[in-house]
Amino acid sequence: MADEAGQKAMLYFIEVLMNSSMPLSISQLAGRFGSKSFTSEMRIAAGGNEDGLKNFLAKYPSLFHIEGKSLAALHVLNFSPLLITALLLFPECQTST
């Protein structure tokens, strides 16, 4: 991912999901668009709405698992912070599951 706002959005959602004790829905994550620490640039980069967010996260199957078609359950796969950083810097290394 080349743009800074997109990287910040990805890291924001990774942190939210890593701090959650259970999977969160797309709707729950999209509700975070209104957070003070989530900028308008990050919202645009992350798709701006539930459908856009689902598409944004689906680009990174090595980081997120999406189940279902509408309000999908999400969880961050167990990766080290170093691997997550590498996948963000080199998205061409992403693989589909």
Side-chain angles (χ1 to χ4, degrees):
M1 186 166 27
D3 68 293
E4 185 178 340
Q7 289 178 353
K8 286 181 179 180
M10 179 64 66
L11 292 172
Y12 178 88
F13 288 121
I14 288 171
E15 182 177 0
V16 167
L17 292 167
M18 289 179 74
N19 289 327
S20 177
S21 61
M22 54 195 267
L24 299 174
S25 70
I26 294 288
S27 179
Q28 289 170 310
L29 288 180
R32 305 282 183 136
F33 284 157
S35 171
K36 281 196 288 186
S37 61
F38 204 87
T39 67
S40 59
E41 292 84 6
M42 289 165 61
R43 184 176 57 244
I44 291 167
N49 59 36
E50 289 180 27
D51 289 335
L53 178 58
K54 185 175 179 180
N55 292 333
F56 175 75
L57 298 176
K59 294 178 188 177
Y60 305 95
S62 296
L63 296 176
F64 300 99
H65 176 69
I66 301 175
E67 298 172 356
K69 293 184 179 178
S70 55
L71 298 180
L74 301 173
H75 62 84
V76 175
L77 303 175
N78 293 322
F79 285 123
S80 71
L82 181 59
L83 180 56
I84 290 171
T85 302
L87 291 170
L88 289 172
L89 293 174
F90 304 103
E92 65 274 8
C93 296
Q94 299 285 325
T95 58
S96 296
T97 55

